Amino acid sequence: MKDKPSVNKQGQTEQEYLEAYDVSQFERPSVTVDMLVFTVMDELEENYRKLSPKSLKILLVKRGEHPYIGQWALPGGFVTPGESLEEAARRELRTETNVDDIYLEQLYTWGDAGRDPRTWVISTSYMALVDSSSLQLQAGDDAEEAEWYRIEDRWLKETKTATLDGSITEKWLELRLVHEREQLSATIKITKTVTGRTVRETREIVETNNLAFDHAKIIQYALERLRNKIEYTDIAFALMPELFTLSDLQQVYEVILGRELLAAAFRRKVADKVVETNQYRKHAGHRPSKYFRFNPEWMDQT
């Protein structure tokens, strides 16, 4: 004997309900994707034409269409019907910057009212770390240019106020994105509200210069997440070539974390994540440096 189909309060089966469903009863937002593609590069000093310490950079595109025409933004665009979020992210990245076949990690979903002047837009952001030496940038689609911008940030001030059942901490941060021809900036306010055991954190753009939409706070949030993840994952190795020295790897960690690390402590920290090779990189006048490669089985050893 077959089970009787389940019905709702109106006596409808699921098939009947779906056939009668009115999609217009709720306003539907547009959905977009934004990509945060990070890399670490050597900086070229103009005065001496030599390489200086490495810097963390992010890929931005110059908008060729309204809104925010002429301003810089994260690569991204609208999700089309029948497309998954990741498929849209890869398509937009490929058509706007010529970057393809990289690992993308979903970061966060942004849905504040008024974040896009065109309409109600919800955006899912993706983060990636890449070895930029293997990529060839080329602007396309609705982007006029695609460039790597150096990221700099610094805390401006902090206040903390006690409440009856917790506290409110407010921090102001300056974000700067630097290119040889242009500098972008934004001031971001981060508010952390503690109420009993509940913690809520919000971000607000206080001021922005030539950065489109709410992308300044998306970049700041991604930078914060990146610094946290590099401490306990192998995400930094996405920035490295197949063979690298431990000094090169340490520089990448230092650039992302924004602080110097003790060499001995760093080598102990990454010991399980690397495999020693028999190859060396020779430097004129210096002792040869041994090459290492990433150990994909490091998690099995912990």
Side-chain angles (χ1 to χ4, degrees):
M1 181 177 178
K2 290 185 177 180
D3 293 334
K4 185 178 180 180
S6 299
V7 297
N8 60 12
K9 294 179 181 179
Q10 290 73 40
Q12 296 171 306
T13 64
E14 182 171 321
Q15 182 176 350
E16 291 169 338
Y17 167 79
L18 293 175
E19 289 174 350
Y21 183 75
D22 180 10
V23 296
S24 66
Q25 63 180 314
F26 296 108
E27 184 178 354
R28 288 177 289 175
S30 295
V31 180
T32 63
V33 287
D34 292 306
M35 280 69 69
L36 298 112
V37 183
F38 292 100
T39 194
V40 169
M41 288 184 181
D42 291 314
E43 287 292 320
L44 191 63
E45 293 189 48
E46 291 295 328
N47 292 339
Y48 305 101
R49 309 304 299 175
K50 65 179 182 181
L51 293 176
S52 65
K54 298 178 186 293
S55 65
L56 180 66
K57 296 193 176 185
I58 190 169
L59 179 59
L60 297 179
V61 295
K62 190 172 187 178
R63 289 187 56 78
E65 296 289 345
H66 294 297
Y68 300 106
I69 189 170
Q71 294 194 28
W72 290 86
L74 296 168
F78 288 91
V79 180
T80 59
E83 204 175 29
S84 72
L85 292 173
E86 184 168 333
E87 287 170 345
R90 293 188 179 282
R91 173 181 54 77
E92 285 291 339
L93 191 59
R94 182 175 61 254
T95 57
E96 287 196 347
T97 66
N98 196 42
V99 174
D100 199 4
D101 195 27
I102 62 173
Y103 171 74
L104 292 172
E105 177 179 320
Q106 193 172 122
L107 180 67
Y108 196 76
T109 297
W110 308 85
D112 291 349
R115 60 179 302 274
D116 192 309
R118 291 169 291 192
T119 186
W120 179 21
V121 174
I122 295 174
S123 182
T124 297
S125 53
Y126 284 81
M127 182 171 69
L129 273 70
V130 299
D131 176 6
S132 58
S133 63
S134 63
L135 304 178
Q136 289 188 335
L137 295 186
Q138 180 180 335
D141 202 13
D142 60 352
E144 286 189 352
E145 301 176 45
E147 297 287 357
W148 294 105
Y149 272 75
R150 185 174 77 248
I151 301 178
E152 300 173 356
D153 67 331
R154 66 187 182 100
W155 293 106
L156 300 175
K157 64 177 180 177
E158 176 180 341
T159 64
K160 187 171 184 178
T161 306
T163 61
L164 291 176
D165 52 357
S167 64
I168 298 176
T169 303
E170 296 176 315
K171 297 181 180 181
W172 285 262
L173 175 142
E174 181 187 41
L175 179 71
R176 291 199 301 167
L177 303 169
V178 182
H179 187 266
E180 59 185 15
R181 301 191 306 272
E182 194 167 8
Q183 179 173 298
L184 319 176
S185 63
T187 302
I188 300 162
K189 178 184 176 183
I190 303 173
T191 303
K192 181 180 179 181
T193 304
V194 179
T195 306
R197 296 183 179 181
T198 303
V199 180
R200 182 172 179 263
E201 190 171 88
T202 60
R203 284 168 170 75
E204 171 191 354
I205 297 176
V206 178
E207 183 181 8
T208 185
N209 171 37
N210 215 19
L211 265 171
F213 303 104
D214 56 354
H215 289 183
K217 70 177 182 180
I218 298 178
I219 293 171
Q220 189 278 324
Y221 178 78
L223 184 57
E224 187 177 295
R225 284 284 300 273
L226 176 59
R227 286 171 174 162
N228 289 334
K229 287 178 69 69
I230 198 175
E231 294 280 17
Y232 63 89
T233 72
D234 55 28
I235 193 171
F237 291 89
L239 297 167
M240 308 305 298
E242 182 180 357
L243 297 179
F244 51 83
T245 68
L246 290 183
S247 295
D248 288 339
L249 182 62
Q250 181 173 336
Q251 284 185 45
V252 167
Y253 271 76
E254 290 176 336
V255 164
I256 294 174
L257 293 172
R259 66 176 190 270
E260 292 186 1
L261 303 172
L262 294 174
F266 173 77
R267 293 184 180 220
R268 287 195 299 269
K269 181 183 180 68
V270 301
D272 292 337
K273 299 178 183 179
V274 298
V275 176
E276 187 176 347
T277 74
N278 294 321
Q279 301 181 58
Y280 290 84
R281 182 170 68 189
K282 296 181 179 180
H283 301 273
H286 295 82
R287 182 180 177 181
S289 299
K290 179 166 285 190
Y291 276 123
F292 290 75
R293 59 164 49 93
F294 172 59
N295 177 18
E297 300 177 352
W298 72 275
M299 283 293 289
D300 298 332
Q301 302 173 15
T302 59

